[in-house]
Structures are given as C-alpha cells and as structure tokens.
Amino acid sequence: MNACNSTTIENGTELGKNYSAYALVFGSVMTLGLPLNAVSLWILVRSHGLKSPSAVFMVNLAISDLLLVLSLPTRVYFYATCTWPLSQVACIFVTMLFRNNIRSSSIFITFICVDRLLAVVYPLRSRHLRTSSNASKAAALVWLFVLAVNIPESVIFSRFLKNNNISLCFEFQSGPESPLNYLLPVLVFILLAVNVVCTTLVSRALRSHLTDSARVSNKVNVMLIFVMNLMMFIVFFLPLSLAVLIESWRPAFTSLICLASVNCCLDPLLYYFSFDGFWRRKEDVDSSHAME
C-alpha cells in the first residue's frame, strides 16, 4: 500500500486533496521558475559576467534556484501519483537538491544584502574587500558547506528509507534527536538578523546624508532590494524553520515546503532591481577602483 492510500484510510480524503494541491504548486513553480531563472542566469553571465561581487552572488543564487527547479518534476510525479518510481539513491539525491536550495539561497541573499550595505554605507573603505575574487571564494565555501551537511543527512535519510516504504520518499523529516534538525532554524534566524541590521543601517545612512550614500540617485530602488530580501526570509524561509521547532506546525510542514519553493520564482526580481542604471554605474566604478 503506497503512502497516499494508507494516509487516506487514516484521514479520509483530505490527504488526497492535499497531494493534488502539492503537485499543482510544485508544477506551477517549475513552469515559472525554469524559464525565469534560465533567462536570468543567461543575462547575468552575458551582460555582467563575474566582474563584481553582487554579480557573482546572483549567478550562484540563480544556479541554486535552477537546481531546485530541476528537482521538482519528481515531486510533481510523486504527489500526483503517490508513488516513487526511482531508486533510493535517486530519492536521496533529489531531496538533497531541494534542501540545499533553502540553505544556499538564504546565504546568497544575505551576501547580496551585506554587499549592498558596504557599497552604500562604506563605498571607499570596502572597495578592496568587495572584489569578484573574494565573492567567488565565499560562494565556493557556501557550496562546500551545503555539500558537507548532505553527508550526515544522507546517512540518516538512507536509514529512514530502509526502515520504511520507498514511497515515503518526500515524507521524510529528521527525527527530533538529530542535531541536524536545528540547522535550518539556527541558520535562518542568524541570517534574518543580519538582513535586519543591514536594512536598518542602510535606511539610516540614506536619511542622514552623512556618507557617500547622499549621491545615490535612486534610493527607492536601493531600499527595495533590502525589503525584498527581508520578505524572502519572513515569507518563505522563516515559516518552514518555525515548523521544524514547533510541533503543532508539523502537519503543515509539506505545505510550508511548497511555500518555500516559490522563492525561486521571485529571485529574478532581485536581479532586475539590483542591476538598474544606478548599480551598473556603481559596479563600473567599483571595478575600476579594484583594478587600480
């Protein structure tokens, strides 16, 4: 008996309806996210390359979102048919792709926020720190971090699948005894705090006119970037993190995973507002300083 049938017997028809809704949400995210992020990545690489730290972080964010989108067809199939047709290794691989997006996206979004803070509030003092080389090294460390976390997670996941039906592939959650269970909440809380501090400092600098930020030509766009970053955390990442910690939220865990996946469809807006006329001029100035 597969996961859908067994749960339907226990909870009536509610789960069947939920599974159909999950398939619809993941299918919609896949349909929108694939072209949006593929085009965004092409524009970022073709027009901006890896010549500025913000471009490096945004290219990596787009790659992270594309990896998420590539993992969605199997989720759509699973929730549409309530079966898992592939191997245990494939189930682990696809699950890790999905989990890595939440972690890497939250980190790259925070890097973008910190980079914008330095560019606006400390443009001269940070010009040697804000280099594409340093950004590439930071991005490499992020990928090493998420891959390192995959090793113990994959072991725990493998044990779960051996003791349960393979059709429970996407129903896996780390047990409460696993310290990895607290990794996502701690990471999201820390990064959210960093984003709040950056937003506050930039807002204060733009209002006070005490720094080079007084020459920013489009302050609305600047603040919009920070507001969008905060929205990503509060709307998409924070609810899922709280569900890990709050037991009463556990029944909504898969629904919150659906919500978190939507973030990949909105990231292209961040690229658009980050690379308007002001940021292109600013990055050109920063690049010329870096070459001096």
Side-chain angles (χ1 to χ4, degrees):
M1 185 178 296
N2 62 36
C4 183
N5 290 336
S6 61
T7 313
T8 300
I9 290 175
E10 296 173 1
N11 299 322
T13 59
E14 182 179 358
L15 182 59
K17 293 180 180 179
N18 288 343
Y19 268 37
S20 298
Y22 300 154
L24 178 62
V25 172
F26 286 129
S28 300
V29 171
M30 179 180 63
T31 302
L32 291 174
L34 181 59
L36 285 175
N37 285 285
V39 171
S40 296
L41 181 60
W42 181 77
I43 292 174
L44 285 169
V45 173
R46 183 175 182 274
S47 301
H48 302 283
L50 300 176
K51 298 178 181 179
S52 68
S54 56
V56 171
F57 295 139
M58 289 180 188
V59 164
N60 280 273
L61 180 59
I63 292 173
S64 176
D65 289 338
L66 280 175
L67 291 176
L68 168 66
V69 171
L70 292 177
S71 74
L72 294 183
T74 52
R75 284 187 177 263
V76 173
Y77 183 88
F78 174 80
Y79 288 114
T81 66
C82 302
T83 59
W84 176 255
L86 304 177
S87 67
Q88 175 179 307
V89 174
C91 176
I92 295 174
F93 177 76
V94 172
T95 301
M96 293 305 116
L97 275 182
F98 190 92
R99 291 185 171 206
N100 287 346
N101 171 262
I102 304 300
R103 294 162 185 155
S104 59
S105 290
S106 61
I107 297 174
F108 286 130
I109 287 173
T110 303
F111 279 174
I112 293 169
C113 190
V114 172
D115 177 69
R116 296 298 86 193
L117 165 71
L118 295 175
V120 172
V121 182
Y122 310 107
L124 298 179
R125 281 184 283 177
S126 67
R127 65 181 185 180
H128 298 299
L129 178 64
R130 295 181 57 250
T131 65
S132 58
S133 175
N134 287 339
S136 297
K137 292 175 184 177
L141 288 176
V142 172
W143 290 114
L144 286 175
F145 166 72
V146 296
L147 291 176
V149 173
N150 286 167
I151 297 174
E153 268 194 336
S154 298
V155 173
I156 296 173
F157 195 8
S158 177
R159 291 172 182 170
F160 169 84
L161 293 176
K162 286 180 180 179
N163 296 328
N164 295 274
N165 195 312
I166 187 65
S167 63
L168 294 174
C169 178
F170 295 126
E171 297 301 312
F172 167 72
Q173 296 180 31
S174 299
E177 72 285 352
S178 173
L180 291 175
N181 215 38
Y182 302 98
L183 175 62
L184 179 63
V186 171
L187 180 67
V188 168
F189 294 155
I190 292 174
L191 297 180
L192 176 58
V194 173
N195 277 267
V196 170
V197 170
C198 290
T199 303
T200 302
L201 291 176
V202 170
S203 176
R204 184 180 302 170
L206 292 178
R207 290 198 309 267
S208 65
H209 306 296
L210 296 178
T211 68
D212 287 345
S213 61
R215 294 198 295 268
V216 174
S217 60
N218 195 340
K219 297 180 182 180
V220 174
N221 262 25
V222 174
M223 286 309 304
L224 187 58
I225 294 170
F226 289 90
V227 171
M228 288 177 62
N229 286 344
L230 284 177
M231 183 197 71
M232 290 288 186
F233 274 88
I234 295 173
V235 176
F236 301 115
F237 302 144
L238 187 59
L240 184 61
S241 302
L242 292 175
V244 174
L245 299 176
I246 303 174
E247 189 173 352
S248 60
W249 286 30
R250 298 289 172 81
F253 196 80
T254 306
S255 299
L256 295 176
I257 289 178
C258 288
L259 177 63
S261 69
V262 178
N263 85 88
C264 74
C265 296
L266 298 182
D267 283 336
L269 290 177
L270 180 62
Y271 313 145
Y272 174 79
F273 287 109
S274 295
F275 283 110
D276 62 5
F278 164 75
W279 289 121
R280 283 199 299 271
R281 289 194 297 271
K282 182 67 180 174
E283 296 299 346
D284 288 342
V285 170
D286 290 340
S287 297
S288 64
H289 283 319
M291 291 185 292
E292 291 177 356

